[in-house]
Amino acid sequence: SSASAAGAVQIETASDYVYTGTWGAVGSPIAWAANTSQKYASVTGAFAALRLRISTTVTSGTVSAWVVASSPG
């Protein structure tokens, strides 16, 4: 994050990445209240699609977020 004061990101899943309905929450929102902080979350399961959604507005700055996934190959 770049000087953000507050916000939260929710991990979500759906049956397909182009799904247009309401995605299901995976775990609780990942919240922060201090700028220049880093957060880590891990989920285990069989997911067809994952995304991150800003669930609480980011205030006073920006946030960078990544999803890293692997599949058995």
Side-chain angles (χ1 to χ4, degrees), residues 10-12 25-28 30 40-47 50 67-68:
Q10 176 67 56
I11 302 171
E12 296 181 330
V26 178
S28 299
I30 305 158
Y40 170 82
S42 175
V43 296
T44 302
F47 302 103
L50 287 173
V67 173
V68 178

Side-chain angles (χ1 to χ4, degrees), residues 17-70:
Y17 74 95
V18 296
Y19 179 66
T20 58
T22 302
W23 288 46
V26 178
S28 299
I30 305 158
W32 65 91
N35 62 5
T36 65
S37 65
Q38 294 184 10
K39 300 291 181 179
Y40 170 82
S42 175
V43 296
T44 302
F47 302 103
L50 287 173
R51 73 176 184 186
L52 298 177
R53 181 180 57 81
I54 302 296
S55 58
T56 301
T57 302
V58 174
T59 61
S60 305
T62 61
V63 171
S64 297
W66 295 268
V67 173
V68 178
S70 64

